Amino acid sequence: MSESGQSAQFEQLVMPHLDAAYNLARWLAGNDHDAQDIVQEAYVRAFRFVGGFRGGNSRSWLLTIVRNTAYTWLRKNNARSVVYIDDEELAEIEDPAALAGDVALLQRADAGTLRAALEQLPVEFREAIVLRELEGLSYKEIAEVADVPIGTIMSRLARARKQLSEVLQAKGGVRP
């Protein structure tokens, strides 16, 4: 592919998703400066490999690159902030009735309190919540981005919501 064709394809497929890329990077990195570095590196990678994109969901493709770039960057620059959750810890999915209560609690929280609570989550839980609740990806799309089974995503989301609910209750930000 010619360089102008590659540039046009990049403009069409990747550039519309800059906000989503930054949002994911910001939540994974925990600050604006690191998120900018991650997005810049991810976009360089996306530009390099856009010719290999074979169709499908370009947003999910880009967010996969951002996610992988973020984890690589975090391991290299800030290893203590990356917390890995073993899949065995994620085996059980919460009771749907309890989940509904947690979601209602989260909806009543103010933005600042919710942001602070989100930042306390392990990065894999935070990633799942951001992709689902802020970026609106389906469970299947999140599983593709994270390269894990859908059941793992469901479990991460349930546990993330539960932890958020507990943090919010402890901070007195919202009442059950």
Side-chain angles (χ1 to χ4, degrees):
M1 176 181 293
S2 71
E3 189 171 324
S4 65
Q6 184 176 358
S7 292
Q9 186 178 17
F10 182 80
E11 276 294 317
Q12 179 185 11
L13 295 174
V14 178
M15 291 308 293
H17 307 298
L18 182 60
D19 288 343
Y22 177 79
N23 193 33
L24 177 59
R26 169 64 181 84
W27 281 107
L28 293 177
N31 67 68
D32 293 325
H33 182 341
D34 293 345
Q36 291 170 2
D37 290 345
I38 290 166
V39 169
Q40 182 175 358
E41 188 173 329
Y43 266 64
V44 167
R45 289 180 184 181
F47 184 78
R48 195 172 336 141
F49 296 110
V50 74
F53 180 71
R54 299 287 177 238
N57 187 332
S58 61
R59 184 175 185 209
S60 292
W61 177 78
L62 174 65
L63 291 177
T64 300
I65 294 171
V66 171
R67 176 193 186 269
N68 292 337
T69 302
Y71 280 115
T72 300
W73 194 93
L74 288 168
R75 276 192 294 276
K76 188 168 36 171
N77 295 299
N78 199 10
R80 68 181 174 274
S81 72
V82 179
V83 177
Y84 293 96
I85 306 298
D86 187 321
D87 283 344
E88 288 182 21
E89 290 182 80
L90 303 173
E92 290 193 25
I93 296 176
E94 297 294 325
D95 174 23
L99 175 61
D102 291 340
V103 170
L105 181 68
L106 294 176
Q107 291 172 341
R108 290 193 308 267
D110 71 78
T113 304
L114 184 56
R115 181 172 300 122
L118 271 170
E119 289 174 354
Q120 291 182 25
L121 292 177
V123 71
E124 290 156 328
F125 289 0
R126 193 168 55 230
E127 168 188 67
I129 285 283
V130 167
L131 290 173
R132 177 70 183 150
E133 304 302 337
L134 301 180
E135 294 304 326
L137 270 63
S138 69
Y139 287 9
K140 181 180 178 194
E141 290 170 325
I142 298 167
E144 289 170 3
V145 168
D147 195 29
V148 296
I150 264 186
T152 301
I153 295 303
M154 293 169 67
S155 181
R156 285 179 184 177
L157 284 167
R159 295 198 57 197
R161 289 175 180 131
K162 183 173 176 54
Q163 283 185 19
L164 280 173
S165 174
E166 290 169 358
V167 169
L168 291 170
Q169 287 179 31
K171 287 185 177 223
V174 281
R175 302 274 179 222

